Amino acid sequence: MSTKNPVAHAMNYFLRRADTFTRFLTDGRICLSNNAAERALRGIALGRKAWLFAGSDRGGERAAAMYSLIVTARLNDVDPHAWLADVLARINDIPNPRLHELLPWHWKAHQQVHNTIAA
């Protein structure tokens, strides 16, 4: 096979980096695919076209803020729908110095305490 053949280039690339390509065999923490990372980014890719129609720069900023809140809830293992519904129902009754209690990580702890008391 000619060294200029694309297959030969690919084989040489692999052979020069064989330890990198086979590391998953000795380290169980390494995933065989990047499916998890791609799934995590799918929401951004799907929303990209919808965000073009936010209406204005201010609308785009609001959409970005909402997206940040939803992702923060997911990263804290909180159901974004339940969290937002509860927060929107309670936000008017909470004084400004206590607004931090509505953040997802505080909300989750509060819900766990509340569910333990109710049980």
Side-chain angles (χ1 to χ4, degrees):
M1 183 180 313
S2 168
T3 58
K4 296 187 185 226
N5 187 315
V7 175
H9 281 287
M11 289 175 64
N12 284 332
Y13 183 85
F14 172 79
L15 291 173
R16 283 192 305 268
R17 297 164 179 86
D19 59 326
T20 303
F21 283 106
T22 58
R23 188 168 297 147
F24 72 91
L25 296 171
T26 57
D27 189 347
R29 296 173 298 167
I30 299 174
C31 188
L32 293 174
S33 72
N34 66 344
N35 288 341
E38 287 186 8
R39 275 193 308 275
L41 293 173
R42 185 172 292 135
I44 294 169
L46 292 175
R48 185 175 46 217
K49 285 189 178 181
W51 296 333
L52 291 173
F53 302 101
S56 64
D57 288 344
R58 190 170 177 186
E61 290 170 4
R62 287 180 182 165
M66 289 302 297
Y67 187 73
S68 295
L69 290 171
I70 290 168
V71 170
T72 301
R74 286 184 182 152
L75 288 173
N76 285 279
D77 294 324
V78 173
D79 175 24
H81 186 267
W83 173 68
L84 279 172
D86 184 54
V87 166
L88 292 174
R90 294 176 37 206
I91 197 163
N92 283 337
D93 299 330
I94 293 184
N96 282 344
R98 291 184 45 211
L99 283 177
H100 68 279
E101 295 174 11
L102 298 177
L103 294 171
W105 50 91
H106 292 300
W107 184 85
K108 182 179 180 182
H110 175 73
Q111 290 299 109
Q112 289 172 343
V113 169
H114 183 69
N115 289 342
T116 304
I117 292 171

